[in-house]
Amino acid sequence: MKPPIHDPSARRHSGEPSPVRHRNGNRQDRPRRPDITEVERQIAGLANRSTQDLRVAWRQLHRTGPPLGLSRDLMIRALAHQLQEQSYGGVSRALRRRLQSLAGASKKAAMAVDPGLVLKAGTTLVRQWRGHTHTVLVHTDGFEHEGQLYRSLTAIAERITEAHWSGPRFFGLTSRVGALAGAKAGRRRDQ
C-alpha cells in the first residue's frame, strides 16, 4: 500500500479544488490579465476617446488630418496599428521589398501576380513542352525536376526551354493582365 500524498498541488490532478490560496483569495477572484501592457491600455482607451480627440491623435502621428470620409472605427484601428508598430516594430525589410515589387508589377500592368499563391510541399506541377511532359514536385526547400533539386521554378523553366522564362509564368501560376482583364469583362457581359 502506498503512503497518502500530502502535496496540495497533487489534488489538482484528481479534480479536487486546490486548497492553496492565491494572492487575491480564490482562483476565481483574481484578475484575468494582470500583466496588461501600456500599449494595450492605450489601445483599449482609444474607443473611449471622442472623435475630435482621435483626429488630434491622428494629426500628431501623421502631421496631417485624417482622410475625408474615414470612419471612426477605421481611425481607431489605424491608430491602434500605429501604436503597436511603434511598440513592437513594423514590417521587415524583406516584406517591404516584396510589397514594393508587387506594387511595381501592378503599376506596369505587365503581369497579374497573386501574392496569396503559396505552393505547399507535395504539390505537383505539370507542363507540356514540345511533346514532352515535365513534372515538378514542390519541396519545402525547393523544387524537384527529373531527380534534381532546384531553388526556383525559373531555373527549371530555363533548363527545359533553354531560354530565359519566368518559372511561375511557364508553369501557369501567373497570367497576363490583358488576358485577365478580358476574362473579367467577358464574365460581366455573361452575367
Side-chain angles (χ1 to χ4, degrees):
M1 179 181 223
K2 290 185 180 179
I5 299 175
H6 296 291
D7 181 16
S9 64
R11 289 197 180 111
R12 277 185 272 162
H13 300 294
S14 67
E16 296 176 30
S18 173
V20 178
R21 294 185 58 89
H22 297 280
R23 277 180 270 141
N24 297 337
N26 284 338
R27 175 179 286 161
Q28 291 80 12
D29 293 342
R30 68 182 175 176
R32 285 258 182 221
R33 296 245 351 237
D35 60 336
I36 188 166
T37 65
E38 180 61 29
V39 175
E40 290 171 332
R41 262 191 221 98
Q42 289 176 351
I43 290 171
L46 287 174
N48 299 330
R49 294 173 74 174
S50 71
T51 305
Q52 189 59 36
D53 285 345
L54 293 173
R55 287 187 179 120
V56 169
W58 185 283
R59 280 189 195 93
Q60 289 172 345
L61 196 61
H62 297 285
R63 303 196 195 299
T64 183
L68 293 175
L70 186 68
S71 71
R72 175 182 166 79
D73 180 57
L74 283 177
M75 198 177 327
I76 290 171
R77 289 171 187 250
L79 289 170
H81 176 266
Q82 290 294 326
L83 287 170
Q84 288 174 334
E85 194 173 65
Q86 285 175 352
S87 179
Y88 305 122
V91 297
S92 66
R93 286 184 181 175
L95 178 58
R96 194 173 295 127
R97 278 194 306 266
R98 174 78 174 135
L99 292 172
Q100 287 173 344
S101 72
L102 290 172
S106 177
K107 284 179 186 174
K108 291 178 189 173
M111 190 174 296
V113 180
D114 183 5
L117 181 65
V118 177
L119 298 174
K120 294 182 180 177
T123 302
T124 303
L125 303 173
V126 180
R127 173 67 151 86
Q128 285 284 123
W129 179 257
R130 296 192 176 161
H132 188 263
T133 302
H134 297 274
T135 56
V136 173
L137 180 63
V138 179
H139 291 277
T140 55
D141 58 344
F143 305 93
E144 182 183 338
H145 177 254
E146 296 179 347
Q148 191 173 355
L149 196 63
Y150 294 85
R151 292 184 63 189
S152 71
L153 286 173
T154 299
I156 297 171
E158 288 177 350
R159 182 170 185 272
I160 292 170
T161 63
E162 298 176 351
H164 180 71
W165 266 81
S166 161
R169 186 166 155 216
F170 180 78
F171 286 99
L173 302 176
T174 61
S175 60
R176 292 229 174 242
V177 170
L180 189 64
K184 285 183 181 177
R187 262 190 264 138
R188 284 189 202 121
R189 283 188 214 120
D190 294 339
Q191 291 176 352

